[in-house]
Amino acid sequence: MADAHAKRTAIDRPCVVTVEGKTDRKFFTWMAIKLGLDHYIQVWPYDGNKQLKTKLAALATTSGFAQVTSLGIVMDADDHPDRAYQRICGALHSANLSKSREEPIQVDDGPRIQVLVLPSLDKQGALETVCLESVQNDPLMPCIEKFSNCVGKEWTEQLKRKEDESELLIARLDKMRVHAFLATRYDNPEFRLGEAAEADIWPFEHEAFMGIKAFLTQLCGEIK
Amino acid sequence: MYKSFEIKNFKCFDHLKLDNLARVNLIAGKNSVGKSALLEALYLHCDGHNPEILSSLKNRRRPLSPDLKQDITVSLSRSYFLNFDTYATIELIGTEDGDGVRSVRLRLDRNPPQGLKGIPIELVAQVPGKDEQRFHAYFDSRRRVLPNPPAPLVPAEFRGAREPIDVNGDSKRFGMLVKGDKLKGGQVSEALKSVELRLERVELLPDEGTYLMHGHIRGISKPVPLPEMGDGILRVAGFVIIMGHCENGALLLDEIENGLHYSILEDVWKTVAEAARQFNVQVFATTHSYECIEAAHRAFRGEHADEFHLFRLERVKGKIRAFDYEPDVLEAAIETGLEVR
């Protein structure tokens, strides 16, 4: 049974950004605050990309969503950026939020839609990949790269033995690199990407975040 | 059973349509979005040809003086029309199982008969395959001057959110149902076990000059009058009894969760579902409670999922809209912590 006393999410801002999980929510909330857009943007984690269509349909029927003017969907590319994009487009269409299954096209009386695949539409990885790029000149990064290369080789061998090509290797390695990077600074194992954002660890001004900033700014473009 | 229901120009509704109506329908939404008004519209449509319902509905909202119960004025009638616009026509349209589309239209009677009391609203009923029929309710010294309207097309019972529980009425109905072999005392006690586990049997017994439902409780030597067992027992007993009373009809329950602890709500929904199936009753209930919605979802999950539907009313750009939750969408909304009230 869901906790009946837990606060339920109603939509009370004109722009909604849906992200994969709680870590991403913390990161995007931090981004919105830094950009001065937090009064316009509400970040909602859809909790994994399975049954995305149903979750988007649930969001679209939620209290306050009918007043939303822009909807942004963020998803990790993992090993297949094009698949991530198509998954979002298909889910938006099935949830009656887009006219097309191939690309996001606003429906009548629906919000404008923008899609962001991370790190980008032509690159494998995840939000972690973007964050790592922003700290690539950190003096400890070469050590983390050595560790990561070693682990990566072993994982690749394991996957070959299992003949499993479905494993999300690139994104998984980047998530591990982020953990390793944060472990060089904090001894709290609970301290993850989202908490690092809240603690201003990621260099907000770095050009690695340009794409995310542009996405959020455009989302609020007509409202501000 | 209604498959869809449409409202035009009634109270706060400009135009509202509910599709995908199920056997049990739960209406959620913030205050002042028309949850009770929707039940009122359904109640009017169920009867189909009796403008007197307007005064009984008015009396539920605010007790009227005995005179006004038969004589609601033009000024009181205005509140049934969207934005008090009495030049508009109220239209209630229901699509029913097998019977096609039936409509009820209401408009202000601008030339009421002189010297008579009554309700200055004309009701125009349109039943498939028949000519329009017009109904009025005017009285002379409390005697109806026009023929009584025929029996309701859909037997319906309306339980308002603030109405006191009618213990004597429910006891009388219980007696009639048991006598008619439509209900067994054991059936009511089974339904009430969600509230009182020790209850073994319910029966009608003389009590202070009337007959009252009593419960036989394990460990207590004498039967206990049901009102002594608390409001929760009476509420749940009332749900079952009233469904027996409006067989093949509709039950309208405003704020169904009133008086019921959250922990029993799933069992209460199962009881409601079972009685609704047995008596072929369609249920429309309203709620403000998250626990109540979640309990209903759990009670109907699985093989009975298509017997339950949640609708949430919300004011969007000044107009009330209904948001319709398919079972999988409601499941996702609950799982991801989205507001469904």
Side-chain angles (χ1 to χ4, degrees):
Chain A
M1 192 200 305
D3 180 4
H5 302 290
K7 185 165 165 43
R8 307 271 131 210
T9 303
I11 305 301
D12 55 11
R13 277 168 247 188
C15 303
V16 172
V17 175
T18 68
V19 295
E20 283 192 40
K22 292 185 176 66
T23 292
D24 307 52
R25 177 169 63 179
K26 286 180 180 172
F27 177 87
F28 275 88
T29 302
W30 167 73
M31 240 331 151
I33 292 169
K34 297 292 269 185
L35 289 166
L37 298 174
D38 50 317
H39 291 298
Y40 308 105
I41 292 177
Q42 186 165 356
V43 185
W44 178 67
Y46 52 81
D47 204 15
N49 54 23
K50 281 182 187 158
Q51 296 178 318
L52 182 59
K53 165 208 143 184
T54 319
K55 289 171 184 170
L56 288 178
L59 176 68
T61 46
T62 293
S63 178
F65 186 84
Q67 323 278 358
V68 168
T69 54
S70 319
L71 171 66
I73 321 278
V74 182
M75 190 184 277
D76 286 342
D78 293 328
D79 288 359
H80 302 283
D82 49 338
R83 271 193 218 165
Y85 183 78
Q86 282 312 317
R87 189 179 293 162
I88 295 172
C89 292
L92 282 166
H93 180 66
S94 301
N96 297 320
L97 287 163
S98 168
K99 284 181 181 172
S100 164
R101 187 168 285 283
E102 276 69 47
E103 55 183 323
I105 300 177
Q106 182 177 4
V107 294
D108 301 336
D109 291 333
R112 280 193 303 120
I113 326 163
Q114 275 182 234
V115 173
L116 179 66
V117 174
L118 292 171
S120 69
L121 263 177
D122 54 6
K123 208 170 160 190
Q124 296 171 317
L127 173 60
E128 283 78 358
T129 315
V130 182
C131 292
L132 285 169
E133 197 184 326
S134 76
V135 290
Q136 63 185 339
N137 293 329
D138 187 277
L140 287 173
M141 277 313 278
C143 311
I144 292 165
E145 285 304 323
K146 280 182 201 163
F147 167 64
S148 166
N149 288 340
C150 180
V151 174
K153 273 181 198 158
E154 181 53 32
W155 277 356
T156 307
E157 286 305 313
Q158 283 178 11
L159 291 177
K160 274 184 191 162
R161 285 199 292 275
K162 284 197 312 193
E163 294 181 351
D164 182 359
E165 290 179 6
S166 63
E167 193 78 36
L168 308 171
L169 194 59
I170 305 285
R172 197 175 155 200
L173 276 169
D174 279 347
K175 285 174 200 288
M176 189 202 70
R177 283 191 192 100
V178 166
H179 282 307
F181 172 75
L182 293 174
T184 64
R185 278 161 171 71
Y186 300 94
D187 55 8
N188 180 358
E190 301 290 314
F191 204 85
R192 303 173 71 164
L193 185 151
E195 286 77 22
E198 287 172 340
D200 259 337
I201 298 298
W202 309 116
F204 174 75
E205 300 298 341
H206 197 280
E207 63 179 20
F209 296 125
M210 292 286 280
I212 295 176
K213 288 180 194 170
F215 170 76
L216 294 177
T217 308
Q218 280 170 25
L219 205 64
C220 301
E222 289 168 13
I223 300 156
K224 275 182 71 187
Chain B
M1 266 209 332
Y2 288 100
K3 290 286 163 200
S4 71
F5 188 65
E6 196 172 353
I7 305 173
K8 291 177 187 172
N9 299 320
F10 182 73
K11 290 202 157 182
C12 54
F13 301 116
D14 171 67
H15 182 203
L16 183 87
K17 189 172 184 206
L18 302 183
D19 287 310
N20 304 318
L21 291 171
R23 177 168 298 284
V24 177
N25 304 281
L26 186 56
I27 322 293
K30 293 180 181 174
N31 290 111
S32 303
V33 292
K35 299 185 294 299
S36 305
L38 170 59
L39 297 188
E40 291 176 350
L42 278 159
Y43 195 42
L44 263 166
H45 191 270
C46 283
D47 188 296
H49 27 48
N50 188 2
E52 277 179 82
I53 283 183
L54 294 169
S55 64
S56 79
L57 289 176
K58 187 66 75 187
N59 195 46
R60 282 168 198 271
R61 293 260 182 179
R62 49 169 161 168
L64 301 173
S65 70
D67 271 356
L68 280 176
K69 281 183 187 174
Q70 282 195 339
D71 182 30
I72 65 170
T73 59
V74 169
S75 129
L76 276 172
S77 300
R78 277 196 192 111
S79 61
Y80 284 108
F81 293 84
L82 176 71
N83 300 330
F84 301 96
D85 176 11
T86 51
Y87 286 94
T89 298
I90 294 169
E91 205 168 353
L92 311 173
I93 306 162
T95 308
E96 291 159 277
D97 248 356
D99 294 331
V101 180
R102 178 167 66 80
S103 76
V104 169
R105 296 200 304 280
L106 300 156
R107 51 193 173 215
L108 196 73
D109 188 355
R110 298 198 176 275
N111 297 302
Q114 294 292 317
L116 294 178
K117 290 188 168 188
I119 298 155
I121 287 182
E122 179 182 61
L123 188 154
V124 184
Q126 176 74 68
V127 177
K130 289 188 180 171
D131 291 338
E132 272 187 1
Q133 285 182 287
R134 287 155 201 276
F135 296 94
H136 300 87
Y138 291 115
F139 305 87
D140 179 6
S141 307
R142 300 191 180 279
R143 190 173 54 82
R144 202 181 170 98
V145 296
L146 296 163
N148 279 326
L153 291 166
V154 176
E157 286 287 339
F158 188 148
R159 297 238 152 157
R162 290 183 298 277
E163 274 177 53
I165 298 168
D166 179 11
V167 187
N168 292 330
D170 280 352
S171 292
K172 198 173 160 188
R173 292 185 196 100
F174 172 75
M176 286 162 65
L177 289 167
V178 172
K179 201 173 168 187
D181 213 20
K182 286 188 173 177
L183 196 66
K184 305 239 180 300
Q187 196 177 339
V188 174
S189 59
E190 203 52 45
L192 297 183
K193 279 198 172 132
S194 59
V195 191
E196 175 53 83
L197 258 174
R198 299 170 302 160
L199 188 69
E200 290 179 327
R201 191 159 52 91
V202 175
E203 73 174 327
L204 206 58
L205 293 171
D207 188 290
E208 303 287 335
T210 183
Y211 277 87
L212 210 59
M213 288 182 286
H214 284 63
H216 292 268
I217 296 179
R218 198 168 47 248
I220 299 179
S221 57
K222 287 191 174 164
V224 182
L226 238 52
E228 305 298 330
M229 294 169 67
D231 277 1
I233 287 264
L234 289 175
R235 291 270 296 167
V236 180
F239 295 160
V240 177
I241 292 163
I242 210 77
M243 277 195 263
H245 189 66
C246 58
E247 194 170 11
N248 301 317
L251 174 59
L252 312 165
L253 295 168
D254 206 5
E255 297 182 19
I256 185 172
E257 76 276 12
N258 280 0
L260 301 172
H261 192 262
Y262 79 93
S263 61
I264 64 163
L265 287 171
E266 186 176 342
D267 284 336
V268 169
W269 277 118
K270 285 178 179 166
T271 297
V272 166
E274 205 168 303
R277 270 177 229 128
Q278 180 186 346
F279 297 112
N280 189 30
V281 169
Q282 190 169 22
V283 178
F284 296 87
T286 70
T287 188
H288 286 124
S289 153
Y290 176 79
E291 286 109 327
C292 183
I293 297 169
E294 202 202 11
H297 176 62
R298 284 201 311 273
F300 288 93
R301 193 156 43 188
E303 59 173 321
H304 298 303
D306 60 348
E307 288 187 344
F308 171 72
H309 218 92
L310 173 72
F311 297 90
R312 191 178 55 75
L313 303 185
E314 183 179 339
R315 195 177 292 276
V316 180
K317 294 176 187 162
K319 294 181 179 175
I320 309 291
R321 271 182 61 187
F323 292 86
D324 176 344
Y325 287 77
E326 293 289 336
D328 59 338
V329 172
L330 178 57
E331 172 113 11
I334 289 171
E335 269 183 12
T336 52
L338 287 168
E339 183 58 86
V340 290
R341 287 168 292 186

